[in-house]
Amino acid sequence: MTDFRREALKHAMPWLVTAVLLVIWEIACIVFDVPEIILPKPTKIFTVFVARFDILMAYCWDTLWTTVIGFLLAIAGGLLLGLAIGASPFVYSGLYPLLIAFNAIPKVALVPILMIWVGVGSLPAVITAFVISFFPIVVNVATGLATIEPEMRDVLRSLGATRTEILTKVGIPRAMPYLFASLKVAITLAFIGSVISETVGGNNGIGFLMLSASARNDAPTTFAGLFAIAIMGVLMYAVCALVEKRMTRWAFRGELVS
Amino acid sequence: MAFVDLNKVSLTYRMGKETTLALADATFSIDKGEFIAVVGPSGCGKSTIMKLVTGLLPASSGEVRVSGAKVTGPIKGVGMAFQNPTLMPWRTTMDNILLPMEVVEPHKRRFRSNRAEYEERAMKLLKTVGLADFARRYPWQLSGGMQQRSNLCRALIHEPELLMLDEPFGALDAFTREELWGVMQALWLEKRFTGVLVTHDLREAVYLADTVYVMSKRPGRIVLTRQIDIPRPRSLATTFEPHFVDIVHELRDRISQEHA
Ligand SMILES: Nc1ncnc2c1ncn2[C@@H]1O[C@H](COP(=O)(O)OP(=O)(O)OP(=O)(O)O)[C@@H](O)[C@H]1O
Ligand SMILES: [Mg+2]
């Protein structure tokens, strides 16, 4: 096999595997005569997906913007708190245990409380997305700061730099690859957060659509929603991965970007 | 009155229960405008001296004074080339070299509005070390020796009063190294800064320094102080003259005792 064909095959692999899985699924449904209400055939799901594309998109859009807003808030908050924790041992010892305790709470448990506070709608979804994706960002940024090579800091100290200068000239650039690496994880979590919130107590978004479809025993629509979620998740992950590569070329020593 | 003054300075590194006495009772002084060299076996505390003089490490006992004032924290605006190049991988070579300009007064205030002028200055320096074509490259795109030369430029750019060089020519080939001795000497003759050079190369020490200090193995003590009474400017030819060679031999003999 030539190098070019090897390379092409490598890129085609994810699609091939997906296609094979879908075909197996389709055949299994036919062979075992699975009732549509339990597990619809992929072709059926696809038909529904196309037929209800407009409705799906409308609900997806709700989920998307609540996720993105929650995610952006998490970046801003996570970056600030991460810098504070990484830069000051006092903030670290004061806040870190609390953060870990808070992170241990299953976020589903927060949704009913949020509904008491802010009512039903998009706001609980935004907040859930925020609180769930906040943690990995804080931890990563703080780790980036805490693992600065002492020599790098000494270079600035010997020039007479202030603490703030050391933070802006070494700390923040050094923490950036860690921040961007955490975004891939965080966006996925933010997405989980808003769908959970929609499912537990929402009146829009893809989670709500799936919940109401399943209440009508409309399995194909429920599954179509599931596929929509998967596609959105992969797309957002890809965007974050791309941003990461663009922004932190030096951390990869240029190797990954040709 | 001496510019840098060390009085019975000792330093012990502590890591939990483990302690390492790295430097014992170092006493010496450097006059303003003097260039000294420190030689000695590996691990004898040379880099430690550099960090003590610049205030990056507090002395465990004894006293370090720079221009009359007791050193209690990092002193401002020294030029320091560390043993590892420690360039920042997210900055281009040019931006790395300009770093002191963003931090040290009075350049700091003028830097943003006079960037072109400073870049020109950095470019001139890069040319003298043969790196003019690499200003826009990142440090990780440079070879080890090129990184060291950039490191040297960063230490020099703000024309510090006190220049501390920790094996700055270590990873260079013999030719480049000898060329840079010439560059270094010319710079010193022009600006007359106070210089401290740590090196393993005895010819380098004798070529560049007014005084060479020989240290014992760990814990480092100063076992020999040798004035270098060879007139300046010294050239490569000087290094083959009998007097020069004699001094190098004298230093070598003293150091080889340490390895015995
Ligand atoms: N951060 C540290 N923690 C503990 N011990 C250290 C530390 N830095 C240096 N030492 C110890 O102190 C001693 C002196 O170290 P130093 O780096 O000053 O040696 P050096 O003379 O510069 O050696 P070289 O010529 O190999 O660079 C060594 O034995 C080393 O193990
Ligand atoms: Mg050393």
Side-chain angles (χ1 to χ4, degrees), chain B residues 178 181 201-208 236 239-240 244 248 252:
Chain B
E178 287 167 1
W181 295 352
D201 185 338
L202 299 178
R203 289 173 64 231
E204 179 173 302
V206 178
Y207 184 109
L208 284 170
L236 223 47
T239 66
F240 298 108
F244 189 101
V248 171
R252 171 150 297 141

Side-chain angles (χ1 to χ4, degrees), chain A residues 188-200:
Chain A
T188 321
L189 288 177
F191 204 39
I192 293 173
S194 48
V195 173
I196 281 178
S197 165
E198 287 159 2
T199 316
V200 174

Side-chain angles (χ1 to χ4, degrees), chain B residues 191-210:
Chain B
K191 314 268 195 242
R192 291 286 174 167
F193 47 79
T194 308
V196 180
L197 170 75
V198 167
T199 178
H200 284 291
D201 185 338
L202 299 178
R203 289 173 64 231
E204 179 173 302
V206 178
Y207 184 109
L208 284 170
D210 298 315

Side-chain angles (χ1 to χ4, degrees), chain A residues 1-14:
Chain A
M1 228 184 332
T2 62
D3 278 356
F4 174 76
R5 288 180 55 187
R6 279 183 74 91
E7 206 49 30
L9 185 65
K10 215 170 96 190
H11 284 291
M13 276 313 276

Side-chain angles (χ1 to χ4, degrees), chain A residues 151-152 154-161 165 169-170 173-174 249-250 253-254, chain B residues 56 74-75 77-78 82 86 88-90 99-100 102-104 108 140 154 158:
Chain A
E151 294 90 9
M152 206 81 96
D154 278 350
V155 169
L156 277 154
R157 289 211 305 148
S158 73
L159 290 168
E165 277 170 338
K169 301 222 183 287
V170 187
R174 175 60 213 268
R249 239 158 60 91
W250 64 265
R253 303 291 185 260
Chain B
L56 291 175
I75 54 176
V78 288
F82 291 83
T86 59
M88 296 171 185
W90 54 87
L99 178 76
E102 299 170 22
V103 177
V104 178
K108 188 173 155 182
W140 36 269
R154 182 177 63 188
H158 56 296

Side-chain angles (χ1 to χ4, degrees), chain B residues 13-15 20 22 40-49 83 166-167 200 218:
Chain B
Y13 285 107
R14 248 174 255 286
M15 281 276 266
T20 312
S42 177
C44 71
K46 301 182 297 295
S47 298
T48 305
I49 289 190
Q83 193 166 353
D166 196 348
E167 296 182 35
H200 284 291
R218 192 171 61 83

